[in-house]
Amino acid sequence: MGDLEVDVVIVGAGVSGINAAHRIQTQFPNLSHIILEARDAIGGTWDLFKYPGIRSDSDLYTFGFPWRLWSSEKAIADGPAIKKYLIESANEFGIDKKISYGHKLVSADWSSKEKLWSLDVQIGGGEKSKIVKAGFVLYGSGYYDYEEPLEAIIPGLENFKGTVIHPQFWPENIDYSDKKIIIIGSGATAVTLLPVLAQKAASVTMLQRSPTYILSAPATDSGSWIRNLLPAFIAHRLVSWKFMWMMFFYFQFCRAFPALATRQIKEATERELPSHVKQDPNFKPKYNPWEQRLCVCPDGDFYRALREDNGDVITDTIQEVTETGILTSSGKFLDADIVITATGLKMKIAGGAQISVDGQTTRISDKFIWKGTMVQDIPNAAFLLGYTNASWTLGAEASIQLMCRVMRGMIKKGAVAVVARVRPGEDLQARSMMNLSSTYIKAGGGVLPKAGDKGPWLAKSNYFRDVWNAKFGDISDGLEFS
């Protein structure tokens, strides 16, 4: 097929990609742009995951787009509702017309001579391919591997004669009615699955190696009076800001007063638990609140399931999986018809595309990331990643606002290229670009770029600071324009 040349290519038609497309088309109406989406539908994560009960693990008022705010009273929404919102948002603003479905980016090579990216794009699962030339590439593809889950070593899993499921690839027609189910894991997916599966299953046991903090939160917003009193566009904005500040202050509270936060969560958990499930050890993590992401259960559905006869949590390690169940290290045997391995997500940057500069492959994990957005030594490219301690969209929004400002700076200077550089001799200490210690983040250490310990190389972690920095901060420090 013939080559295509555009000003901006956006990779991914999920939350980050749709948001980026809106910002580009409104702030740079004269620039041509397209969205490359490897899947056959819009939505990214919300199109991929189909397991029962899939929902947001943060409120939709801050997860929604700032240019089309979430208007429902439902603060925590399920996957289909979120996907519907994404489709409607894209359609309303004509973003859907810019999406090329079934277009997977395989590799991207920057030419210093042409000042252009050459993108090798696979079409329709590899049946065809084409080259797309672009002046700028915005990666809105997140950092999860859609093709492979995080591999967990579960001794003897191959012996099990029942059904083994990873939530990332949930089978469409699985009937779990009256089945004995074990969920291995303790993260957001396990916490979401247990109460939904327990509605039909004979029993559902969450078997966790280590516990997590689980907070009950209202599924609907109590601030309906705001909507009744004020015009919709003002009310939705106020509700969004209310949730933004609540989330910010609670995170800061947990970090500043970990002992007090731990006690508060412990007392709230004990009020929810039935007598047969103990807070210690099942809900007593070894880390402080927000050193790893907290899990949220809407209206306490997780704890409500535990108060029924068929829901349980066991904190133990696995000695062996047998043909009919799991033997724990403490000697307890758990019968099972279905084992669900909710053991985490594997990380992959840029959708797995190989990125090179003048034919030389770039190992992204060896590079620092400028203001959480531009990777060192990779020109005219940005990675629109969300937060781990707040709604994903807020982080992606801070990044695209920053890049729009950088692009305006390029136009003003008459530059055609911009690249993040670490100054020769600069003593920059590597830090994780994410401020959490979760297992999947540690496992992704060889995939993601590094944050630094100072200046523009610090990790992105505070929306209010980051968005102010995007709009008014120094964009010359650490960047070279040409």
Side-chain angles (χ1 to χ4, degrees), residues 281-314:
N282 298 306
F283 298 90
K284 188 179 180 181
K286 295 179 181 178
Y287 54 87
N288 290 322
W290 272 119
E291 286 181 0
Q292 295 186 24
R293 191 171 182 122
L294 273 67
C295 288
V296 171
C297 59
D299 291 335
D301 66 348
F302 177 83
Y303 293 112
R304 189 164 58 249
L306 294 185
R307 293 194 293 270
E308 300 295 329
D309 292 337
N310 64 338
D312 200 6
V313 174
I314 294 175

Side-chain angles (χ1 to χ4, degrees), residues 290-404:
W290 272 119
E291 286 181 0
Q292 295 186 24
R293 191 171 182 122
L294 273 67
C295 288
V296 171
C297 59
D299 291 335
D301 66 348
F302 177 83
Y303 293 112
R304 189 164 58 249
L306 294 185
R307 293 194 293 270
E308 300 295 329
D309 292 337
N310 64 338
D312 200 6
V313 174
I314 294 175
T315 304
D316 206 341
T317 54
I318 297 172
Q319 180 173 312
E320 184 185 15
V321 180
T322 71
E323 292 186 357
T324 58
I326 296 177
L327 178 65
T328 71
S329 298
S330 66
K332 184 177 292 187
F333 186 79
L334 308 174
D335 283 312
D337 301 305
I338 300 172
V339 170
I340 301 171
T341 56
T343 50
L345 298 166
K346 186 179 177 183
M347 306 194 94
K348 179 189 280 188
I349 197 76
Q354 180 177 288
I355 299 176
S356 57
V357 176
D358 296 325
Q360 297 295 311
T361 301
T362 299
R363 183 176 165 84
I364 290 179
S365 59
D366 291 340
K367 302 293 183 179
F368 287 94
I369 187 164
W370 180 84
K371 297 195 176 186
T373 304
M374 291 189 74
V375 173
Q376 168 197 358
D377 300 331
I378 301 180
N380 288 27
F383 295 81
L384 309 176
L385 303 174
Y387 292 122
T388 52
N389 62 343
S391 290
W392 176 273
T393 316
L394 295 176
E397 167 68 1
S399 287
I400 189 59
Q401 289 285 10
L402 174 64
M403 292 320 301
C404 285

Side-chain angles (χ1 to χ4, degrees), residues 113-254:
K113 182 179 179 182
E114 293 183 323
K115 296 292 191 291
L116 284 174
W117 283 101
S118 181
L119 310 178
D120 183 8
V121 179
Q122 199 176 75
I123 304 172
E127 296 173 8
K128 301 176 183 177
S129 65
K130 69 178 176 183
I131 300 297
V132 177
K133 300 279 189 175
F136 225 101
V137 180
L138 302 173
Y139 291 94
S141 47
Y143 49 58
Y144 291 142
D145 189 330
Y146 282 12
E147 295 163 0
E148 291 182 21
L150 181 66
E151 187 177 351
I153 299 173
I154 301 174
L157 185 61
E158 68 280 0
N159 299 326
F160 187 59
K161 298 298 185 184
T163 304
V164 178
I165 303 172
H166 194 285
Q168 189 166 337
F169 307 107
W170 192 271
E172 261 185 56
N173 301 316
I174 183 78
D175 182 10
Y176 54 87
S177 301
D178 302 318
K179 303 293 186 183
K180 290 174 284 188
I181 302 173
I182 298 175
I183 306 170
I184 302 174
S186 60
T189 302
V191 171
T192 299
L193 279 167
L194 187 143
V196 177
L197 299 179
Q199 294 172 12
K200 294 182 180 180
S203 66
V204 184
T205 301
M206 188 169 89
L207 177 58
Q208 56 183 12
R209 181 179 57 190
S210 57
T212 190
Y213 294 105
I214 304 173
L215 299 176
S216 294
T220 56
D221 175 38
S222 59
S224 56
W225 62 270
I226 298 177
R227 298 182 183 85
N228 295 333
L229 285 178
L230 299 171
F233 74 95
I234 296 177
H236 298 334
R237 181 70 60 188
L238 287 175
V239 171
S240 175
W241 276 88
K242 179 186 78 169
F243 275 83
M244 214 178 293
W245 281 106
M246 284 169 50
M247 185 165 47
F248 172 76
F249 281 127
Y250 189 66
F251 176 79
Q252 297 301 327
F253 164 72
C254 290

